[in-house]
Amino acid sequence: MQTMQAEGLTSTYGEKTLFDNVSFTINENDRIGLIGVNGSGKTSLLNVISKRTSPERGSITTPNDYTIGYLQQQPALDPTKTIMDAIFEGDQPVFKTIREYELALDRFSNHPEDPQAMDQYTKLQAKMDQEDAWEADSRVKTILTQLKIKNVSQKVSELSGGQQQRVGVARALAADPSVTLFDEPFGAIDAITRSELQEELLTIHKTYPNKTFVFITHDIYEAFKLGTRVMIMDEGKIAQFDTPEAILKKPANDFVKRLLDTAKNQESLWG
């Protein structure tokens, strides 16, 4: 089982402590909702988990083959690229092979009578076999179907914000990372698209149950809906890290109680 073990993580910025002596375990197949008010340390912690920054103290231990995918709130997509090219634009050799194969397939499909197109297509089929690239290609196409993306030849510039976020999700998952980190992935999209994407991500996770997702969110409903466990942060500390059911049944402290009460008060507006 692929597990991430964090021990005694501490990070500062100038004289400000971002988080202090934080320890936790993230298991394979976890879906972790990471929630807290602004300044609670959740984004700084995600940056350390993703290795974008390093802690002053503490350590993170993972298996040697442990890999990390990352999706920021606004995915940096090249508007001139097609959806498929945007997803497979990474440096991994298998991505390059898949890009070349998709181009050859498109050319051969449009010009089946062209011997050069047929020869290139045949060579790249063999290369896909050699590099075992079919699995990655199939996985991404399955994810795209689950995200309701149909026309992979469409330009990124032609996509709505919600569609671009879907492409960002597919790109983050394309390399089959051990854990995928989502930094407020639905904060900038409308409520209907947000709900649809939440359901689509749950479907993807069920399809690939050995994968781990970690979501930063300000929305407690989203954290409880998506998370098999929820990490609640307050002033650089983990206030509680447990299942949604356990948190609702027994809040760890006054801050968690206030957070839950605020959510209940908002819910009462709808009767």
Side-chain angles (χ1 to χ4, degrees):
M1 176 177 288
Q2 291 200 316
T3 297
M4 174 185 288
Q5 182 70 49
E7 292 286 349
L9 297 178
T10 297
S11 184
T12 61
Y13 183 76
E15 296 184 359
K16 178 178 174 58
T17 298
L18 302 175
F19 51 86
D20 181 39
N21 198 30
V22 168
S23 300
F24 56 87
T25 300
I26 297 176
N27 297 314
E28 185 176 299
N29 197 37
D30 267 343
R31 295 194 313 272
I32 306 297
L34 180 54
I35 188 168
V37 298
N38 288 338
S40 61
K42 56 188 185 299
T43 297
S44 301
L45 181 59
L46 197 75
N47 286 336
V48 168
I49 294 173
S50 67
K51 300 182 180 179
R52 295 159 70 92
T53 60
S54 299
E56 273 72 28
R57 295 190 300 277
S59 63
I60 294 179
T61 305
T62 60
N64 290 334
D65 60 347
Y66 200 87
T67 55
I68 298 172
Y70 183 84
L71 177 64
Q72 57 194 24
Q73 188 178 72
Q74 298 285 351
L77 303 173
D78 186 338
T80 66
K81 291 184 180 294
T82 65
I83 290 173
M84 188 60 76
D85 285 344
I87 291 170
F88 287 120
E89 70 176 353
D91 296 330
Q92 295 92 329
V94 69
F95 281 9
K96 181 180 178 182
T97 298
I98 292 171
R99 288 197 302 267
E100 292 173 348
Y101 169 76
E102 292 291 340
L103 286 172
L105 173 61
D106 184 63
R107 182 183 175 190
F108 177 60
S109 298
N110 290 322
H111 304 283
E113 75 292 341
D114 184 343
Q116 287 186 334
M118 179 181 290
D119 180 62
Q120 185 69 3
Y121 173 62
T122 302
K123 288 179 179 177
L124 280 161
Q125 274 189 316
K127 191 174 182 181
M128 290 281 287
D129 290 335
Q130 292 168 3
E131 298 184 9
D132 195 24
W134 296 110
E135 182 181 354
D137 188 56
S138 175
R139 181 178 62 254
V140 168
K141 287 177 179 176
T142 298
I143 290 170
L144 288 172
T145 298
Q146 291 168 328
L147 290 169
K148 299 180 176 60
I149 296 175
K150 298 177 181 179
N151 181 11
V152 296
S153 298
Q154 193 173 8
K155 296 282 189 181
V156 169
S157 60
E158 300 170 0
L159 304 178
S160 67
Q163 288 173 315
Q164 289 191 24
Q165 198 68 10
R166 286 178 163 91
V167 174
V169 169
R171 185 172 68 176
L173 297 172
D176 199 25
S178 306
V179 60
T180 306
L181 311 176
F182 299 85
D183 188 358
E184 296 189 60
F186 312 132
I189 55 180
D190 64 86
I192 292 175
T193 304
R194 182 184 187 125
S195 179
E196 290 173 349
L197 267 167
Q198 289 170 354
E199 292 297 331
E200 290 159 11
L201 273 176
L202 289 174
T203 298
I204 291 169
H205 192 264
K206 289 176 183 177
T207 305
Y208 302 99
N210 63 325
K211 298 306 168 193
T212 304
F213 293 170
V214 179
F215 305 86
I216 280 187
T217 178
H218 283 98
D219 185 344
I220 192 167
Y221 292 106
E222 184 168 81
F224 278 42
K225 177 179 180 178
L226 295 178
T228 53
R229 293 192 291 158
V230 176
M231 183 186 293
I232 300 175
M233 295 197 68
D234 179 36
E235 296 183 349
K237 301 277 190 180
I238 296 177
Q240 192 164 2
F241 187 20
D242 213 328
T243 65
E245 295 79 11
I247 293 171
L248 289 169
K249 184 177 180 179
K250 191 174 181 179
N253 57 29
D254 287 341
F255 173 77
V256 178
K257 290 178 184 177
R258 292 200 308 272
L259 191 65
L260 294 176
D261 286 343
T262 300
K264 290 174 183 176
N265 291 337
Q266 291 175 342
E267 186 177 8
S268 69
L269 293 174
W270 302 97

